[in-house]
Amino acid sequence: MVKILSICGSTREASLNQKLLNVIQECAGSISGLQVESYSGIAALPIFNQDLEGDKTPPQVLEFCAAVESSDGLLIASPEYVRAIPGGLKNAIDWLVSREEIVAKPIALVHASYRGNDMLSSLRLVLATVSERFTEEIFLCIPLQSSDTVTEGSIAENRQNVSQINEFLIQYQSYIARAASPTVS
Ligand SMILES: Cc1cc2nc3c(=O)[nH]c(=O)nc-3n(C[C@H](O)[C@H](O)[C@H](O)COP(=O)(O)O)c2cc1C
C-alpha cells in the first residue's frame, strides 16, 4: 500500500485547494494499493525556532514529523499569498529542514488556480532543496474559479477533472514505488 499525506497551504474552511485535495483523496480510494490521508495541523504548529529543535521540539511538531515519516510521499496544494508561499506552509517546511523525515521523501504538487506562478516557482525551489525526491514533472493543475459554488461534488462531476486526477495519482504512485525500490527500472 502506498500512503500519501496531503498538506494544504490554506487553512481557511472553504479552501479550494483543500477541496481539490479532498476530491483527490476520494479518487485515490478507487485505485488499488493507494491511500491518501490529509494532514490538517498546519495552523497549530508554532513558529519555527531553531532553539526549539532537538529535545525541546514541540509536541505538535513531533506529531507532524511522525505523520510525514509514516507516509510514503507528500502531496502539497497551496494558494499564492502576495506572490509567495503562505507563511503557515513555509513554517511547516522549516520545521522539517534539519530533520531526517523529509530528505528522501517523494513530494509532488497539485494546484487549484490559473495563477500563482511566483508561489509555485518558490515552492519548487524550496522543496527541491529539502528533498532529493521532489518531482517537478508529476504535477496536476485543476484551475478552479474562486466561488462559493465550488464544492467537492462540482469538482468531481467534471469527468475531465477526474480523469486528470486519476492519471496524476497513478503516475505518482508509480514514482513512489520506484523510489522505494530504486534498483527496479
Ligand atoms: C492575503 C491574500 C493574498 C493573495 N495574494 C495572491 C497573489 O499574490 N496571487 C494570486 O494569484 N492570488 C492571491 N490571492 C488569492 C488566493 O490565492 C486565492 O483566493 C486562493 O483561492 C486561496 O486559496 P484557498 O481557496 O485554497 O484558500 C491572495 C489571497 C489573499 C487572501
Side-chain angles (χ1 to χ4, degrees):
M1 176 66 74
V2 168
K3 286 200 297 177
I4 293 174
L5 185 70
S6 75
I7 299 173
C8 184
S10 169
T11 56
R12 75 184 182 106
E13 209 176 314
S15 163
L16 295 177
N17 286 282
Q18 187 59 60
K19 284 176 188 170
L20 178 57
L21 288 173
N22 292 343
V23 174
I24 289 172
Q25 181 166 348
E26 189 78 24
C27 289
S30 312
I31 296 175
S32 171
L34 186 63
Q35 185 185 318
V36 175
E37 278 177 15
S38 167
Y39 173 75
S40 55
I42 270 192
L45 297 176
I47 292 186
F48 175 71
N49 179 344
Q50 255 187 303
D51 294 341
L52 298 182
E53 290 188 299
D55 290 350
K56 293 182 185 161
T57 305
Q60 306 94 311
V61 175
L62 291 175
E63 207 177 293
F64 172 53
C65 295
V68 170
E69 185 176 25
S70 68
S71 75
D72 299 305
L74 304 182
L75 194 55
I76 299 178
S78 178
E80 176 173 275
Y81 285 167
V82 203
R83 316 280 295 266
I85 303 169
L89 176 60
K90 179 60 167 53
N91 181 53
I93 297 169
D94 287 345
W95 277 113
L96 294 167
V97 169
S98 52
R99 300 179 59 101
E100 289 300 311
E101 294 88 352
I102 195 74
V103 179
K105 195 63 65 183
I107 309 176
L109 291 180
V110 302
H111 195 56
S113 172
Y114 289 99
R115 304 179 304 169
N117 284 325
D118 290 322
M119 181 282 299
L120 281 174
S121 299
S122 175
L123 186 55
R124 285 177 176 133
L125 180 63
V126 168
L127 295 175
T129 304
V130 299
S131 168
E132 58 202 29
R133 292 194 175 129
F134 165 62
T135 171
E136 241 185 84
E137 288 73 30
I138 302 171
F139 174 64
L140 172 72
C141 182
I142 307 260
L144 301 170
Q145 297 281 7
S146 194
S147 141
D148 291 345
T149 59
V150 175
T151 62
E152 281 86 347
S154 72
I155 298 170
E157 76 188 9
N158 179 321
R159 282 189 188 191
Q160 201 187 335
N161 288 346
V162 172
S163 144
Q164 276 183 266
I165 290 170
N166 284 333
E167 194 183 323
F168 165 81
L169 282 172
I170 287 166
Q171 229 188 332
Y172 191 33
Q173 180 184 28
S174 157
Y175 175 80
I176 292 172
R178 285 200 309 276
S181 45
T183 51
V184 179
S185 61

